[in-house]
Amino acid sequence: MKKYQEVYNDLKEKIRTNVYPAETSLPTEQALQDLYGVSRDTVRKALAILTERGMIQKVQGRGSLVLKQELLNFPVSGLTSYQELTDSLQLQTKTEVISLDLIVVNSNLANLTGFEPYSKVWKVVRTRSIDGKVSVVDTDYLSASLVPTMTLDIAQESIYDYLENQLGMDIAYAQKEITVEPTSREERELLQSQDDYLVLIKSRVYLGDTRQFQYTESKHKIDKFRFVDFARRKHSL
């Protein structure tokens, strides 16, 4: 790992753990040079990454100000798994598998998920906790013809890691729909919350050969996430 990345990772961890709280300033560039025993260029590269990630802001007369991190950026357009996202943000998280069942798709479920009627799918319900608080309820349906085996251990860790690295599946693209939905009594119990509404992300996910292998309903607490995307305007011909 390059030195500026080491400095960035250490500063990010100190911001996350409130060694450098929100709305306070980081040490000066000279102080950081002395602290880490690196050049000014190395410090500036590390600070530039923190700025790009929305963790600090240069303020005239105050140096690098630590910004509030109340909401987690959740990328809408990407195909990043929850585990990959939280690992990249170095969050303290826990996944609990509520249920794992092999079921037959009826007509209503076929219309919802896109799977063929009478086909078999794995239904996996999991909760995701961040810093000790349940923030997400995920319900996954996985084609049993493409994913013949599913266990509690796999569901507890990372399903995508299993699919890609053990089954060799080529996860390629997804169609997503995002809505705000009323919270059910069951969801209130799972989330240990009285929130009236949740953000619901429905996803149909496909392999490189266009076969659908997954349908997911991911329900997020509104006060925990900020849903972001990157858009580029096409140049006129």
Side-chain angles (χ1 to χ4, degrees):
M1 183 182 295
K2 294 182 178 179
K3 197 64 181 179
Y4 73 86
Q5 292 173 315
E6 294 179 7
V7 175
Y8 159 72
N9 286 334
D10 189 64
L11 289 173
K12 179 176 68 171
E13 179 65 14
K14 287 178 177 175
I15 290 172
R16 190 185 70 80
T17 57
N18 285 323
V19 174
Y20 300 129
E23 300 183 336
T24 65
S25 296
L26 293 181
T28 65
E29 290 184 4
Q30 183 60 57
L32 291 173
Q33 285 179 246
D34 296 339
L35 176 63
Y36 293 105
V38 297
S39 67
R40 174 168 289 187
D41 183 58
T42 296
V43 167
R44 287 182 172 176
K45 284 183 178 179
L47 294 177
I49 300 174
L50 290 170
T51 303
E52 290 171 4
R53 301 289 170 85
M55 300 186 75
I56 64 171
Q57 176 65 45
K58 289 281 189 179
V59 177
Q60 186 68 32
R62 296 189 62 182
S64 299
L65 187 69
V66 179
L67 301 178
K68 290 183 179 180
Q69 299 293 310
E70 295 175 344
L71 298 178
L72 303 176
N73 285 346
F74 193 98
V76 174
S77 59
L79 256 179
T80 303
S81 72
Y82 180 85
Q83 190 64 51
E84 290 167 340
L85 173 65
T86 54
D87 285 349
S88 69
L89 296 174
Q90 295 187 341
L91 297 173
Q92 296 295 319
T93 67
K94 177 184 177 182
T95 295
E96 181 178 354
V97 181
I98 305 301
S99 62
L100 169 60
D101 300 289
L102 183 63
I103 64 174
V104 176
V105 176
N106 59 27
S107 58
N108 289 335
L109 193 57
N111 290 332
L112 174 68
T113 64
F115 292 120
E116 290 294 324
Y118 308 111
S119 63
K120 292 184 178 180
V121 295
W122 297 103
K123 180 181 179 182
V124 186
V125 180
R126 297 175 290 179
T127 59
R128 318 289 200 158
S129 299
I130 300 174
D131 296 330
K133 295 183 179 180
V134 180
S135 301
V136 181
V137 178
D138 281 338
T139 303
D140 293 285
Y141 298 88
L142 298 146
S143 169
S145 64
L146 296 174
V147 186
T149 301
M150 179 55 55
T151 68
L152 290 173
D153 286 342
I154 293 169
Q156 183 75 39
E157 297 301 324
S158 172
I159 290 177
Y160 272 24
D161 178 71
Y162 168 68
L163 298 182
E164 291 180 318
N165 297 320
Q166 294 194 41
L167 297 188
M169 295 174 67
D170 175 25
I171 301 173
Y173 63 96
Q175 295 175 335
K176 297 189 179 186
E177 174 186 329
I178 303 174
T179 57
V180 176
E181 303 287 341
T183 310
S184 69
R185 183 169 61 181
E186 179 184 6
E187 289 160 355
R188 284 195 176 94
E189 292 175 356
L190 289 174
L191 290 165
Q192 302 167 19
S193 168
Q194 295 303 312
D195 291 352
D196 292 327
Y197 294 93
L198 298 172
V199 174
L200 169 61
I201 302 179
K202 297 179 181 179
S203 304
R204 294 185 182 186
V205 193
Y206 300 83
L207 301 176
D209 60 10
T210 74
R211 287 181 296 172
Q212 181 185 349
F213 75 93
Q214 180 187 29
Y215 170 80
T216 296
E217 290 190 351
S218 189
K219 298 182 179 181
H220 301 71
K221 293 187 68 174
I222 290 176
D223 63 354
K224 192 64 177 177
F225 296 91
R226 173 172 51 222
F227 297 88
V228 298
D229 198 0
F230 176 80
R232 187 187 300 279
R233 180 173 169 82
K234 288 185 177 180
H235 293 293
S236 301
L237 298 177

Tab-separated table of all heavy atoms in Angstrom, residues 44-82:
chain	number	residue	atom	x	y	z
A	44	ARG	N	-0.982	15.869	1.194
A	44	ARG	CA	-1.985	16.504	0.330
A	44	ARG	C	-2.762	15.478	-0.485
A	44	ARG	O	-3.955	15.651	-0.737
A	44	ARG	CB	-1.307	17.538	-0.571
A	44	ARG	CG	-0.884	18.780	0.202
A	44	ARG	CD	-0.260	19.830	-0.679
A	44	ARG	NE	-0.041	21.070	0.073
A	44	ARG	CZ	0.570	22.156	-0.415
A	44	ARG	NH1	1.047	22.145	-1.661
A	44	ARG	NH2	0.711	23.224	0.341
A	45	LYS	N	-2.099	14.405	-0.917
A	45	LYS	CA	-2.808	13.344	-1.641
A	45	LYS	C	-3.844	12.681	-0.729
A	45	LYS	O	-4.970	12.400	-1.149
A	45	LYS	CB	-1.821	12.299	-2.166
A	45	LYS	CG	-1.032	12.741	-3.385
A	45	LYS	CD	-0.125	11.615	-3.871
A	45	LYS	CE	0.631	12.022	-5.120
A	45	LYS	NZ	1.537	10.936	-5.594
A	46	ALA	N	-3.459	12.421	0.526
A	46	ALA	CA	-4.392	11.799	1.474
A	46	ALA	C	-5.573	12.718	1.751
A	46	ALA	O	-6.733	12.281	1.780
A	46	ALA	CB	-3.659	11.465	2.775
A	47	LEU	N	-5.302	14.016	1.926
A	47	LEU	CA	-6.376	14.983	2.185
A	47	LEU	C	-7.286	15.125	0.965
A	47	LEU	O	-8.501	15.322	1.107
A	47	LEU	CB	-5.785	16.340	2.566
A	47	LEU	CG	-5.015	16.392	3.890
A	47	LEU	CD1	-4.434	17.789	4.102
A	47	LEU	CD2	-5.904	16.002	5.062
A	48	ALA	N	-6.706	15.007	-0.225
A	48	ALA	CA	-7.513	15.113	-1.448
A	48	ALA	C	-8.531	13.977	-1.527
A	48	ALA	O	-9.681	14.184	-1.940
A	48	ALA	CB	-6.609	15.105	-2.676
A	49	ILE	N	-8.124	12.756	-1.115
A	49	ILE	CA	-9.056	11.627	-1.137
A	49	ILE	C	-10.168	11.848	-0.114
A	49	ILE	O	-11.343	11.595	-0.388
A	49	ILE	CB	-8.320	10.305	-0.855
A	49	ILE	CG1	-7.245	10.050	-1.896
A	49	ILE	CG2	-9.320	9.139	-0.849
A	49	ILE	CD1	-6.384	8.830	-1.598
A	50	LEU	N	-9.807	12.329	1.074
A	50	LEU	CA	-10.826	12.623	2.087
A	50	LEU	C	-11.815	13.661	1.589
A	50	LEU	O	-13.020	13.575	1.848
A	50	LEU	CB	-10.162	13.110	3.379
A	50	LEU	CG	-9.370	12.079	4.185
A	50	LEU	CD1	-8.585	12.762	5.293
A	50	LEU	CD2	-10.290	11.013	4.758
A	51	THR	N	-11.314	14.648	0.851
A	51	THR	CA	-12.188	15.684	0.281
A	51	THR	C	-13.121	15.094	-0.764
A	51	THR	O	-14.333	15.365	-0.768
A	51	THR	CB	-11.344	16.816	-0.342
A	51	THR	OG1	-10.476	17.362	0.655
A	51	THR	CG2	-12.237	17.918	-0.892
A	52	GLU	N	-12.573	14.238	-1.643
A	52	GLU	CA	-13.377	13.603	-2.689
A	52	GLU	C	-14.462	12.719	-2.097
A	52	GLU	O	-15.566	12.613	-2.649
A	52	GLU	CB	-12.480	12.760	-3.596
A	52	GLU	CG	-11.545	13.587	-4.476
A	52	GLU	CD	-10.532	12.712	-5.198
A	52	GLU	OE1	-10.624	11.463	-5.053
A	52	GLU	OE2	-9.647	13.254	-5.881
A	53	ARG	N	-14.190	12.086	-0.953
A	53	ARG	CA	-15.161	11.186	-0.317
A	53	ARG	C	-16.149	11.937	0.569
A	53	ARG	O	-16.983	11.313	1.225
A	53	ARG	CB	-14.421	10.139	0.524
A	53	ARG	CG	-13.447	9.283	-0.282
A	53	ARG	CD	-14.152	8.319	-1.202
A	53	ARG	NE	-13.256	7.674	-2.124
A	53	ARG	CZ	-12.543	6.578	-1.875
A	53	ARG	NH1	-12.632	6.006	-0.694
A	53	ARG	NH2	-11.769	6.045	-2.788
A	54	GLY	N	-16.064	13.274	0.577
A	54	GLY	CA	-17.024	14.064	1.348
A	54	GLY	C	-16.804	14.007	2.844
A	54	GLY	O	-17.734	14.246	3.621
A	55	MET	N	-15.579	13.732	3.268
A	55	MET	CA	-15.302	13.618	4.698
A	55	MET	C	-14.725	14.900	5.293
A	55	MET	O	-14.866	15.148	6.495
A	55	MET	CB	-14.352	12.444	4.957
A	55	MET	CG	-14.913	11.114	4.489
A	55	MET	SD	-13.878	9.689	4.931
A	55	MET	CE	-14.247	9.561	6.677
A	56	ILE	N	-14.047	15.701	4.452
A	56	ILE	CA	-13.512	16.972	4.922
A	56	ILE	C	-13.763	18.045	3.874
A	56	ILE	O	-14.092	17.740	2.717
A	56	ILE	CB	-11.992	16.902	5.225
A	56	ILE	CG1	-11.203	16.620	3.930
A	56	ILE	CG2	-11.689	15.875	6.304
A	56	ILE	CD1	-9.695	16.762	4.103
A	57	GLN	N	-13.615	19.297	4.296
A	57	GLN	CA	-13.761	20.425	3.385
A	57	GLN	C	-12.740	21.488	3.772
A	57	GLN	O	-12.618	21.836	4.953
A	57	GLN	CB	-15.172	21.017	3.451
A	57	GLN	CG	-15.390	22.258	2.597
A	57	GLN	CD	-15.262	21.949	1.116
A	57	GLN	OE1	-15.799	20.953	0.641
A	57	GLN	NE2	-14.547	22.783	0.395
A	58	LYS	N	-11.995	21.990	2.773
A	58	LYS	CA	-11.051	23.076	3.029
A	58	LYS	C	-11.827	24.356	3.301
A	58	LYS	O	-12.688	24.753	2.505
A	58	LYS	CB	-10.134	23.276	1.827
A	58	LYS	CG	-9.118	22.170	1.609
A	58	LYS	CD	-7.944	22.327	2.547
A	58	LYS	CE	-6.823	21.368	2.186
A	58	LYS	NZ	-5.660	21.540	3.082
A	59	VAL	N	-11.536	24.995	4.429
A	59	VAL	CA	-12.216	26.225	4.817
A	59	VAL	C	-11.144	27.279	5.111
A	59	VAL	O	-10.224	27.028	5.908
A	59	VAL	CB	-13.114	26.023	6.051
A	59	VAL	CG1	-13.753	27.339	6.480
A	59	VAL	CG2	-14.181	24.980	5.768
A	60	GLN	N	-11.275	28.444	4.456
A	60	GLN	CA	-10.299	29.505	4.641
A	60	GLN	C	-10.165	29.868	6.125
A	60	GLN	O	-11.150	30.152	6.804
A	60	GLN	CB	-10.717	30.753	3.845
A	60	GLN	CG	-9.703	31.878	3.840
A	60	GLN	CD	-8.444	31.513	3.073
A	60	GLN	OE1	-8.495	30.769	2.104
A	60	GLN	NE2	-7.307	32.041	3.519
A	61	GLY	N	-8.949	29.819	6.623
A	61	GLY	CA	-8.697	30.187	8.006
A	61	GLY	C	-8.919	29.074	9.004
A	61	GLY	O	-8.589	29.236	10.186
A	62	ARG	N	-9.495	27.931	8.570
A	62	ARG	CA	-9.759	26.822	9.502
A	62	ARG	C	-9.093	25.516	9.059
A	62	ARG	O	-9.216	24.499	9.728
A	62	ARG	CB	-11.261	26.611	9.672
A	62	ARG	CG	-11.981	27.798	10.313
A	62	ARG	CD	-13.425	27.446	10.655
A	62	ARG	NE	-13.503	26.349	11.630
A	62	ARG	CZ	-14.655	25.836	12.054
A	62	ARG	NH1	-15.808	26.314	11.582
A	62	ARG	NH2	-14.667	24.860	12.947
A	63	GLY	N	-8.441	25.535	7.919
A	63	GLY	CA	-7.791	24.319	7.437
A	63	GLY	C	-8.788	23.305	6.911
A	63	GLY	O	-9.759	23.651	6.230
A	64	SER	N	-8.581	22.030	7.246
A	64	SER	CA	-9.440	20.936	6.767
A	64	SER	C	-10.499	20.636	7.822
A	64	SER	O	-10.202	20.050	8.867
A	64	SER	CB	-8.603	19.684	6.478
A	64	SER	OG	-7.654	19.942	5.469
A	65	LEU	N	-11.742	21.027	7.529
A	65	LEU	CA	-12.842	20.867	8.474
A	65	LEU	C	-13.498	19.503	8.271
A	65	LEU	O	-13.843	19.129	7.145
A	65	LEU	CB	-13.875	21.975	8.269
A	65	LEU	CG	-15.015	22.049	9.290
A	65	LEU	CD1	-14.488	22.485	10.657
A	65	LEU	CD2	-16.084	23.034	8.814
A	66	VAL	N	-13.694	18.756	9.352
A	66	VAL	CA	-14.359	17.444	9.287
A	66	VAL	C	-15.855	17.654	9.135
A	66	VAL	O	-16.479	18.381	9.923
A	66	VAL	CB	-14.058	16.620	10.557
A	66	VAL	CG1	-14.788	15.267	10.492
A	66	VAL	CG2	-12.556	16.413	10.719
A	67	LEU	N	-16.437	17.011	8.123
A	67	LEU	CA	-17.868	17.163	7.851
A	67	LEU	C	-18.675	16.093	8.573
A	67	LEU	O	-18.173	15.016	8.891
A	67	LEU	CB	-18.127	17.060	6.339
A	67	LEU	CG	-17.411	18.090	5.467
A	67	LEU	CD1	-17.719	17.842	4.006
A	67	LEU	CD2	-17.810	19.507	5.855
A	68	LYS	N	-19.928	16.412	8.844
A	68	LYS	CA	-20.828	15.445	9.462
A	68	LYS	C	-21.055	14.280	8.508
A	68	LYS	O	-21.252	14.462	7.313
A	68	LYS	CB	-22.179	16.093	9.792
A	68	LYS	CG	-22.118	17.104	10.933
A	68	LYS	CD	-23.504	17.645	11.231
A	68	LYS	CE	-23.485	18.637	12.389
A	68	LYS	NZ	-24.836	19.159	12.687
A	69	GLN	N	-21.044	13.058	9.056
A	69	GLN	CA	-21.272	11.852	8.267
A	69	GLN	C	-22.538	11.154	8.755
A	69	GLN	O	-22.522	9.998	9.154
A	69	GLN	CB	-20.064	10.921	8.376
A	69	GLN	CG	-18.776	11.513	7.875
A	69	GLN	CD	-18.780	11.752	6.390
A	69	GLN	OE1	-19.122	10.865	5.610
A	69	GLN	NE2	-18.420	12.954	5.983
A	70	GLU	N	-23.649	11.871	8.761
A	70	GLU	CA	-24.885	11.329	9.333
A	70	GLU	C	-25.526	10.286	8.431
A	70	GLU	O	-26.162	9.355	8.889
A	70	GLU	CB	-25.874	12.468	9.593
A	70	GLU	CG	-25.378	13.447	10.663
A	70	GLU	CD	-26.299	14.629	10.823
A	70	GLU	OE1	-27.131	14.838	9.917
A	70	GLU	OE2	-26.192	15.328	11.825
A	71	LEU	N	-25.362	10.450	7.102
A	71	LEU	CA	-25.985	9.522	6.168
A	71	LEU	C	-24.908	8.760	5.413
A	71	LEU	O	-23.851	9.294	5.092
A	71	LEU	CB	-26.871	10.287	5.166
A	71	LEU	CG	-28.048	11.058	5.766
A	71	LEU	CD1	-28.789	11.803	4.669
A	71	LEU	CD2	-28.987	10.127	6.492
A	72	LEU	N	-25.183	7.502	5.111
A	72	LEU	CA	-24.267	6.688	4.336
A	72	LEU	C	-24.652	6.761	2.870
A	72	LEU	O	-25.822	6.592	2.518
A	72	LEU	CB	-24.334	5.228	4.805
A	72	LEU	CG	-24.044	4.990	6.289
A	72	LEU	CD1	-24.238	3.515	6.605
A	72	LEU	CD2	-22.652	5.445	6.643
A	73	ASN	N	-23.677	7.004	2.006
A	73	ASN	CA	-23.940	7.035	0.578
A	73	ASN	C	-24.158	5.617	0.069
A	73	ASN	O	-23.275	4.760	0.185
A	73	ASN	CB	-22.777	7.679	-0.168
A	73	ASN	CG	-22.757	9.181	-0.008
A	73	ASN	OD1	-23.731	9.773	0.444
A	73	ASN	ND2	-21.662	9.801	-0.363
A	74	PHE	N	-25.351	5.374	-0.485
A	74	PHE	CA	-25.684	4.061	-1.021
A	74	PHE	C	-25.789	4.190	-2.537
A	74	PHE	O	-26.698	4.845	-3.038
A	74	PHE	CB	-27.005	3.557	-0.443
A	74	PHE	CG	-27.248	2.096	-0.697
A	74	PHE	CD1	-26.957	1.148	0.277
A	74	PHE	CD2	-27.751	1.662	-1.909
A	74	PHE	CE1	-27.172	-0.196	0.054
A	74	PHE	CE2	-27.968	0.319	-2.150
A	74	PHE	CZ	-27.674	-0.616	-1.174
A	75	PRO	N	-24.839	3.597	-3.291
A	75	PRO	CA	-24.861	3.759	-4.751
A	75	PRO	C	-26.040	3.028	-5.380
A	75	PRO	O	-26.197	1.819	-5.207
A	75	PRO	CB	-23.528	3.148	-5.189
A	75	PRO	CG	-23.179	2.184	-4.108
A	75	PRO	CD	-23.720	2.754	-2.832
A	76	VAL	N	-26.860	3.765	-6.122
A	76	VAL	CA	-28.070	3.194	-6.696
A	76	VAL	C	-27.770	2.400	-7.961
A	76	VAL	O	-28.290	1.313	-8.172
A	76	VAL	CB	-29.087	4.315	-7.007
A	76	VAL	CG1	-30.287	3.746	-7.752
A	76	VAL	CG2	-29.532	4.984	-5.718
A	77	SER	N	-26.916	2.932	-8.822
A	77	SER	CA	-26.743	2.343	-10.142
A	77	SER	C	-25.760	1.181	-10.157
A	77	SER	O	-25.772	0.370	-11.063
A	77	SER	CB	-26.271	3.409	-11.136
A	77	SER	OG	-25.045	3.974	-10.714
A	78	GLY	N	-24.899	1.073	-9.164
A	78	GLY	CA	-23.900	0.024	-9.176
A	78	GLY	C	-24.460	-1.330	-8.789
A	78	GLY	O	-25.602	-1.461	-8.354
A	79	LEU	N	-23.620	-2.361	-8.958
A	79	LEU	CA	-23.980	-3.714	-8.524
A	79	LEU	C	-23.045	-4.124	-7.395
A	79	LEU	O	-22.497	-5.214	-7.385
A	79	LEU	CB	-23.881	-4.691	-9.694
A	79	LEU	CG	-25.216	-5.112	-10.293
A	79	LEU	CD1	-25.016	-6.064	-11.452
A	79	LEU	CD2	-26.114	-5.751	-9.247
A	80	THR	N	-22.875	-3.205	-6.442
A	80	THR	CA	-22.048	-3.483	-5.272
A	80	THR	C	-22.893	-4.184	-4.228
A	80	THR	O	-23.985	-3.737	-3.909
A	80	THR	CB	-21.503	-2.166	-4.682
A	80	THR	OG1	-20.781	-1.466	-5.691
A	80	THR	CG2	-20.582	-2.440	-3.508
A	81	SER	N	-22.382	-5.291	-3.701
A	81	SER	CA	-23.125	-5.981	-2.655
A	81	SER	C	-23.053	-5.175	-1.363
A	81	SER	O	-22.175	-4.323	-1.182
A	81	SER	CB	-22.543	-7.377	-2.414
A	81	SER	OG	-21.289	-7.299	-1.754
A	82	TYR	N	-23.980	-5.457	-0.457
A	82	TYR	CA	-23.985	-4.747	0.823
A	82	TYR	C	-22.674	-4.975	1.570
A	82	TYR	O	-22.108	-4.046	2.145
A	82	TYR	CB	-25.168	-5.223	1.668
A	82	TYR	CG	-25.265	-4.544	3.008
A	82	TYR	CD1	-25.916	-3.324	3.144
A	82	TYR	CD2	-24.684	-5.114	4.139
A	82	TYR	CE1	-25.990	-2.693	4.377
A	82	TYR	CE2	-24.756	-4.492	5.371
A	82	TYR	CZ	-25.416	-3.278	5.480
A	82	TYR	OH	-25.478	-2.651	6.696
